[in-house]
Amino acid sequence: IRERTQALHDEIIQRKNAEQEVQAALGYTRSVIEANPDLMVVLDRSGIILDVNAATETVTGISRNTLIGTPYRTYLVDDEGTNQAFEQLLVSGKTEHLIEVRGPGGNITPMSMNATVFAGKDPQDVRIIVAAHDITRQKRDEAALRAAFDEQVILLREVHHRVKNNLQIIISLTSLQMRQADDPGVKQILSETQNRVRAMSLVHEKLYRSQSLSRIDFADYTRFLATQLFSYYGMDTKRVRLEFAMGRVMVDIGTAVPLGLIMNELISNALKHAFPKGREGSLSIGCECIGDIITLSIRDTGVGMPEGFDWKNTSSLGMRLVTSLVDQVDGTITLDATNGTAFTITAKRPPETNDAGSMPLTGRG
């Protein structure tokens, strides 16, 4: 009897010790939950609040006893996405979502929420643990960054706009100078200078109107430039066809300006010299980018280069400018004079992120 009594006594002591350890563990766990600065809520599968921590009382401005037994949706800003997230949670067992919690005085607190489903032995005995972190500061910082970025975009757009306007002033000044000049040679030089300035001005105009403000579609730029030059030189499009075979090639300003000047010189040369005395033909312009190599081509079916003409060592300012600009973009230039004149230029494009690449497009102007 004594042995049984002692065994029973020992078992009771062990049980009491175990209960005390459990209570201590529960108390420690509760202390950790209460000390957590993040909102923590326990829900049943219907979304009814079973328990909350102190942070939840602070955010909502409502006591724990009042919160328990009420639907969680009562304290959120109406959001259909939140309802869908809860339904998805019951299916997948876990979810993340941004929520807005109503607080005292109509204050709204944006929060990043994570929820996990814990199922008991009974499938209906489900507990959902929700933890939500206040992201008010993050939202404020994002808004400040967005405002700063928007301001920089406006300033950069204004810079391109002013540069374009300043170049237009230069064009206007040369026009006034041309009116006062009597020498046809001087007028020709000023006219060619104007076209070069227009080519640079067009780059800034395209940048000013572009989404990125740092890159332009060079194919779109070339179409516009070629059309302008056709009009400037009074070309009859029925006699000389303007053809394009170009892909979408995005370039930055450091590449666009020299390539634009190159295209201006070569297209102008073709229009001035390739089709004399009513000669008919075509001017074909190509543009594509494979990898980091841009390839431009200007081909005409005109009279071709004069026999023995050394285009690499000419005194022509235009051709000297072309060869200099090709070197500037770390490129190459070749001439095929077997049927008219065909220049091919390659240039290395600086590496870029999120590049749109080259999408084949063809057309005729």
Side-chain angles (χ1 to χ4, degrees), residues 177-311:
Q177 195 69 45
M178 285 173 63
R179 292 175 187 173
Q180 295 179 355
D182 297 325
D183 188 338
V186 172
K187 288 188 174 184
Q188 179 66 25
I189 291 172
L190 291 174
S191 176
E192 291 175 354
T193 300
Q194 279 188 329
N195 283 339
R196 290 166 185 145
V197 175
R198 283 195 186 95
M200 292 187 289
S201 175
L202 181 58
V203 170
H204 288 279
E205 181 177 350
K206 292 295 183 182
L207 285 169
Y208 167 71
R209 298 180 184 279
S210 71
Q211 291 285 341
S212 70
L213 294 176
S214 62
R215 296 184 299 159
I216 64 170
D217 180 1
F218 194 72
D220 176 64
Y221 167 89
T222 302
R223 288 189 189 92
F224 193 86
L225 177 66
T227 302
Q228 275 194 334
L229 290 172
F230 249 65
S231 176
Y232 175 78
Y233 286 104
M235 300 301 293
D236 182 356
T237 54
K238 294 181 180 179
R239 179 171 64 87
V240 180
R241 300 185 309 278
L242 178 58
E243 300 174 344
F244 297 106
M246 297 187 289
R248 184 169 181 264
V249 179
M250 304 302 294
V251 296
D252 62 14
I253 186 172
T255 304
V257 169
L259 290 185
L261 287 170
I262 290 171
M263 297 300 280
N264 176 76
E265 294 301 324
L266 296 179
I267 294 172
S268 295
N269 282 346
L271 297 178
K272 286 190 294 183
H273 304 300
F275 307 100
K277 300 178 182 179
R279 182 186 177 97
E280 297 183 353
S282 63
L283 176 62
S284 302
I285 301 173
C287 176
E288 67 175 353
C289 183
I290 300 176
D292 62 349
I293 300 299
I294 300 171
T295 303
L296 308 176
S297 62
I298 302 93
R299 176 184 295 275
D300 67 69
T301 59
V303 297
M305 290 285 188
E307 187 175 349
F309 179 72
D310 185 0
W311 63 275

Side-chain angles (χ1 to χ4, degrees), residues 148-159 211-213:
F149 175 76
D150 290 342
E151 182 180 0
Q152 292 297 317
V153 167
I154 292 171
L155 290 175
L156 185 55
R157 197 179 295 279
E158 181 63 20
V159 166
Q211 291 285 341
S212 70
L213 294 176

Side-chain angles (χ1 to χ4, degrees), residues 52-233:
V52 300
N53 67 345
T56 307
E57 295 179 281
T58 301
V59 172
T60 60
I62 302 173
S63 69
R64 178 172 178 267
N65 290 337
T66 303
L67 288 168
I68 292 175
T70 59
Y72 79 90
R73 293 182 179 88
T74 305
Y75 311 102
L76 301 184
V77 174
D78 293 337
D79 180 7
E80 185 61 31
T82 301
N83 296 334
Q84 293 176 357
F86 186 81
E87 294 174 2
Q88 182 63 32
L89 168 67
L90 296 176
V91 176
S92 64
K94 185 175 292 187
T95 190
E96 297 180 5
H97 191 65
L98 296 180
I99 59 175
E100 291 181 320
V101 180
R102 300 180 189 276
N107 183 55
I108 303 296
T109 303
M111 310 196 81
S112 175
M113 177 272 293
N114 291 271
T116 305
V117 175
F118 291 91
K121 294 181 179 179
D122 184 348
Q124 297 301 316
D125 185 19
V126 169
R127 294 293 180 268
I128 300 170
I129 309 300
V130 179
H133 179 69
D134 186 348
I135 56 173
T136 301
R137 178 176 294 181
Q138 178 183 334
K139 289 284 188 180
R140 189 184 303 119
D141 291 344
E142 288 177 355
L145 286 173
R146 191 178 299 111
F149 175 76
D150 290 342
E151 182 180 0
Q152 292 297 317
V153 167
I154 292 171
L155 290 175
L156 185 55
R157 197 179 295 279
E158 181 63 20
V159 166
H160 286 307
H161 187 72
R162 292 192 178 189
V163 170
K164 185 204 77 168
N165 287 345
N166 288 338
L167 291 173
Q168 290 295 328
I169 291 173
I170 294 174
I171 293 172
S172 298
L173 291 174
T174 54
S175 293
L176 292 173
Q177 195 69 45
M178 285 173 63
R179 292 175 187 173
Q180 295 179 355
D182 297 325
D183 188 338
V186 172
K187 288 188 174 184
Q188 179 66 25
I189 291 172
L190 291 174
S191 176
E192 291 175 354
T193 300
Q194 279 188 329
N195 283 339
R196 290 166 185 145
V197 175
R198 283 195 186 95
M200 292 187 289
S201 175
L202 181 58
V203 170
H204 288 279
E205 181 177 350
K206 292 295 183 182
L207 285 169
Y208 167 71
R209 298 180 184 279
S210 71
Q211 291 285 341
S212 70
L213 294 176
S214 62
R215 296 184 299 159
I216 64 170
D217 180 1
F218 194 72
D220 176 64
Y221 167 89
T222 302
R223 288 189 189 92
F224 193 86
L225 177 66
T227 302
Q228 275 194 334
L229 290 172
F230 249 65
S231 176
Y232 175 78
Y233 286 104

